[in-house]
Amino acid sequence: MSEISKLEQSLIIKKIDARTVNISINNNEMLMAIVGQFDQNLKTLSKLAKKGLVNRITNFILKKNKIESKEKILEIYEDRLNHEINIINSMDYASYFIIVSDYIKWAKKNSIPVGPGRGSGAGSLVAYCLDITDLDPIEFDLIFERFLNPDRISMPDFDIDFCEEKRDQVFEYLKSKYKNGVAHIITFGKLKARMVLRDVGRVLGLSYGHVDRICKMVPFDPSRPLTLQESIDREPRFKEEIKNNVKVKKLIELSLKLEGLNRNMATHAAGVVIAGDKLAEQFPLYIDHSSNLTLPSTQYDMYSSENAGLVKFDLLGLKTLTVIDNTIKRLKLKKIDLDITKIDHNDKKVFSMLSTGETTGLFQLESAGMREAIKQMKPNKFDDIIALVALYRPGPMSNIPIYNDCKHGKRTPDYLHPKLENILKSTYGVIIYQEQVMQIAQVLSGFTAGEADILRRAMGKKKRAELEKQKARFIDGAYQNGIPKDIAASIFLKIEPFAEYGFNKSHAAAYAIIAYQTAYLKTHFTDEFFSASMSMEMSNQKKLGEFYEEIKRLNINII
């Protein structure tokens, strides 16, 4: 019997609110997580994590770290591992980590490419040791409490990227393992402003052209879609149409009543729930016979499923992982055996290529704006790639010139306070990551990592009452550490805007690894990389054209 098979024997109910976590065992209820025997899971997690740490230290960490002694490295990593295990166990989430680790190890064992990490989960050393991620959180200065905070009870949530072509095999594995205890999650398409006008207009017999003209009066803004009533209030032409046409008046009246209702059903692109064998007896399921889905779906959407006690696991498909895998397969045909997880992240040739801005085909780095940013930055270290992934977004994008000027010595970095230099040195005084905001609170004001995460969250959510409370705590803590209150208040005001759009460094570092891997393959194995890339885009003429132009620029012959 495998370590994980015991998870199917019983269920632990977790009743979670903002104050407490109550645990009881009951095979007929599912309120947050499936686990096996409770004490056994704690022992299993500790055993697997410590075994994994030995493997990571031997094969990766010691080979990279040439500065610290082996004893010092062991001490640092064992302390961090024990710290995380204690938090996980105190929150009773050991089983969640074991389940995720199980299907990822199965995928890797069966040659299904898995991403190095995604989201805040990449900040966990336990996850690194369990092969859930391939990102050393200590090397990249990532904070575990950004993912799992004992001061803010919430379910852990690993988002895992799999090869797009082989992801269905993982769903099949989950079905074979958990039998009737696993399902996809339903999603509902809503009757939004334009859609409800079109549907009601069709039923009322209005001409397509007339309805289309009315629909186009609704402003198109995907980032902040307007309701029909908001559109009517903003657009005078609506009032003219309603006044002059009785049918349009009826159209608007009915549409306002129907807007927001569910219109159609679909399946969540990535989410599955895993529960006991009696899932179908306790939760409504449905099967879409018109699709080729391996699993049934819940009839509750994602939020309702979680509120009902089901635990969601996200398995996403990422095309770039398929491209990397296919490139490596082509290299094997030429007797070249490349382990993409062990490539040098300080390769000068790779950074030289990146600095030209010729980034066609590279993950996260090939848009026109990104090319310009990368040319100006001229990256020469892996930290620059992480910073680019985090900075190239609306809001923080304005800090790219400051980062570049400080990097190239045209400007002196502003570290806000001497105590913050170590935190901000790698980003030249620019606060880019949420983790930096947390570290500032810890260093200046004595916050615990959990308290710092609550501060970071309050700044991001802009809840004034909570923010004022956190500001007072920040200033008082800094004062106790010998920093005058006016200076502490000034620092708080400076970091607050950064926190609003600060990026999760764990996610940026994980995706920077994939970006760098594609850059490495393009630099050293150009033919194989573009062969794999073009094969993935055979139905995308525009993309094939871009690859063709890049191949011509590189003077590669096309047969």
Side-chain angles (χ1 to χ4, degrees):
M1 184 180 289
S2 68
E3 297 283 0
I4 184 99
S5 62
K6 297 175 184 177
L7 295 175
E8 299 170 51
Q9 296 174 4
S10 63
L11 302 171
I12 280 190
I13 306 170
K14 296 186 175 181
K15 296 179 181 177
I16 299 181
D17 62 22
R19 301 176 302 281
T20 184
V21 180
N22 299 313
I23 307 296
S24 60
I25 297 178
N26 188 320
N27 283 333
N28 296 319
E29 295 184 280
M30 295 164 285
L31 297 175
M32 286 304 175
I34 346 175
V35 292
Q37 297 170 357
F38 182 56
D39 291 337
Q40 184 61 38
N41 278 321
L42 305 186
K43 293 175 183 176
T44 300
L45 177 70
S46 182
K47 177 183 172 184
L48 293 174
K50 288 175 181 176
K51 182 180 177 182
L53 180 61
V54 172
N55 172 58
R56 291 296 192 180
I57 285 177
T58 304
N59 295 312
F60 294 93
I61 297 165
L62 286 178
K63 291 180 179 179
K64 286 184 178 180
N65 196 320
K66 306 294 184 184
I67 301 172
E68 304 282 0
S69 66
K70 182 178 179 180
E71 292 74 20
K72 182 65 175 174
I73 290 171
L74 284 171
E75 180 186 350
I76 292 169
Y77 280 82
E78 285 175 354
D79 286 350
R80 170 71 175 258
L81 190 72
N82 288 329
H83 170 71
E84 290 190 16
I85 288 174
N86 288 337
I87 291 177
I88 293 166
N89 289 347
S90 72
M91 300 177 77
D92 308 315
Y93 292 149
S95 58
Y96 181 89
F97 281 76
I98 297 171
I99 291 169
V100 176
S101 175
D102 173 69
Y103 63 72
I104 289 177
K105 285 179 177 177
W106 179 88
K108 291 178 177 179
K109 185 178 178 182
N110 287 274
S111 303
I112 298 172
V114 183
R118 183 188 178 106
S120 58
S124 168
L125 182 62
V126 169
Y128 182 56
C129 294
L130 293 178
D131 285 338
I132 294 172
T133 64
D134 284 311
L135 188 70
D136 179 354
I138 293 177
E139 177 186 354
F140 294 105
D141 204 20
L142 307 179
I143 301 175
F144 176 68
E145 283 80 359
R146 173 64 185 82
F147 174 59
L148 205 57
N149 183 356
D151 296 332
R152 178 175 57 84
I153 303 294
S154 62
M155 283 298 296
D157 186 16
F158 282 114
D159 295 337
I160 309 298
D161 289 318
F162 291 92
C163 164
E164 198 172 67
E165 291 182 344
K166 298 181 179 180
R167 183 176 63 134
D168 285 348
Q169 294 179 33
V170 185
F171 290 136
E172 289 169 4
Y173 169 71
L174 292 175
K175 182 173 177 58
S176 70
K177 186 165 197 66
Y178 298 104
K179 305 295 189 277
N180 296 324
V182 60
H184 288 296
I185 301 171
I186 200 170
T187 60
F188 296 103
K190 302 288 186 181
L191 280 168
K192 295 185 179 178
R194 289 191 176 192
M195 182 60 71
V196 74
L197 287 170
R198 292 188 190 281
D199 283 359
V200 174
R202 186 170 60 252
V203 173
L204 292 178
L206 292 171
S207 70
Y208 174 83
H210 189 187
V211 174
D212 185 59
R213 183 163 54 81
I214 294 171
C215 287
K216 287 176 179 175
M217 295 179 191
V218 177
F220 180 69
D221 183 1
S223 64
R224 199 237 177 241
L226 296 180
T227 66
L228 180 55
Q229 187 60 60
E230 288 173 331
S231 301
I232 293 169
D233 293 341
R234 287 191 182 192
E235 178 53 69
R237 288 180 296 168
F238 266 115
K239 294 180 178 66
E240 286 295 318
E241 286 281 351
I242 293 168
K243 181 181 176 182
N244 297 329
N245 192 318
V246 176
K247 281 194 172 183
V248 172
K249 182 180 179 181
K250 187 70 173 175
L251 167 68
I252 299 299
E253 286 176 354
L254 291 173
S255 296
L256 286 169
K257 292 176 181 177
L258 295 174
E259 185 182 17
L261 295 179
N262 293 336
R263 183 180 188 270
N264 59 280
M265 297 181 297
T267 302
H268 191 286
V272 297
V273 295
I274 300 175
D277 283 339
K278 296 184 179 180
L279 176 63
E281 295 178 21
Q282 296 169 326
F283 295 90
L285 305 178
Y286 96 104
I287 295 175
D288 183 356
H289 293 287
S290 65
S291 72
N292 297 318
L293 293 175
T294 306
L295 306 170
S297 295
T298 63
Q299 289 189 38
Y300 296 157
D301 66 12
M302 178 174 69
Y303 302 105
S304 298
S305 293
E306 290 180 333
N307 290 337
L310 291 169
V311 182
K312 180 171 68 73
F313 298 80
D314 285 315
L315 292 75
L316 299 101
L318 187 62
K319 185 163 53 179
T320 305
L321 297 178
T322 309
V323 171
I324 292 171
D325 186 51
N326 288 341
T327 304
I328 292 170
K329 286 177 181 175
R330 283 166 167 76
L331 293 173
K332 282 183 179 177
L333 295 175
K334 296 183 176 181
K335 306 285 192 257
I336 300 172
D337 193 12
L338 175 68
D339 186 344
I340 198 70
T341 65
K342 294 183 178 180
I343 60 175
D344 180 13
H345 285 170
N346 296 299
D347 191 311
K348 290 182 179 178
K349 288 184 179 179
V350 173
F351 289 117
S352 177
M353 183 275 290
L354 288 172
S355 295
T356 65
E358 302 295 347
T359 56
T360 299
L362 303 191
F363 182 68
Q364 298 269 296
L365 304 178
E366 61 178 334
S367 70
M370 180 63 90
R371 290 182 190 208
E372 190 59 34
I374 208 167
K375 275 198 293 187
Q376 292 172 4
M377 181 179 285
K378 299 196 180 304
N380 59 357
K381 58 182 180 179
F382 190 73
D383 278 348
D384 288 338
I385 309 300
I386 302 174
L388 261 177
V389 171
L391 282 170
Y392 195 75
R393 295 175 301 115
M397 200 181 285
S398 60
N399 287 316
I400 293 177
I402 300 172
Y403 183 99
N404 291 344
D405 286 348
C406 292
K407 175 180 173 62
H408 298 303
K410 298 177 182 177
R411 184 171 180 164
T412 303
D414 178 9
Y415 297 120
L416 303 180
H417 191 277
K419 287 185 177 182
L420 303 182
E421 183 171 349
N422 286 340
I423 297 170
L424 301 178
K425 193 169 186 178
S426 65
T427 56
Y428 306 100
V430 180
I431 301 173
I432 298 175
Y433 311 115
Q434 295 168 352
E435 287 84 348
Q436 288 176 311
V437 174
M438 294 171 66
Q439 289 169 327
I440 288 170
Q442 289 176 273
V443 169
L444 287 188
S445 303
F447 278 54
T448 65
E451 290 170 339
D453 180 59
I454 291 172
L455 168 66
R456 183 272 315 166
R457 187 177 173 84
M459 286 180 166
K461 296 287 184 182
K462 295 187 247 185
K463 294 180 179 178
R464 291 315 310 177
E466 178 63 22
L467 198 53
E468 288 302 318
K469 177 182 170 184
Q470 293 295 330
K471 181 179 180 180
R473 165 79 175 85
F474 181 92
I475 293 170
D476 289 343
Y479 182 72
Q480 290 173 21
N481 285 336
I483 299 169
K485 288 190 174 184
D486 59 333
I487 294 177
S490 173
I491 292 172
F492 188 91
L493 289 174
K494 287 180 179 177
I495 67 173
E496 188 178 345
F498 289 101
E500 287 181 15
Y501 51 69
F503 201 71
N504 182 338
K505 189 180 182 183
S506 299
H507 182 75
Y511 268 31
I513 286 179
I514 302 176
Y516 185 89
Q517 288 173 349
T518 58
Y520 185 92
L521 293 173
K522 180 177 178 179
T523 301
H524 295 287
F525 307 104
T526 313
D527 292 9
E528 293 79 9
F529 175 71
F530 275 111
S531 174
S533 298
M534 294 181 80
S535 295
M536 277 298 295
E537 301 289 355
M538 291 301 288
S539 61
N540 188 337
Q541 291 299 315
K542 182 174 182 294
K543 200 69 182 172
L544 285 175
E546 291 174 9
F547 287 144
Y548 177 73
E549 292 301 321
E550 180 69 356
I551 288 169
K552 279 203 306 183
R553 186 189 69 79
L554 294 168
N555 296 318
I556 297 173
N557 292 325
I558 300 175
I559 299 173

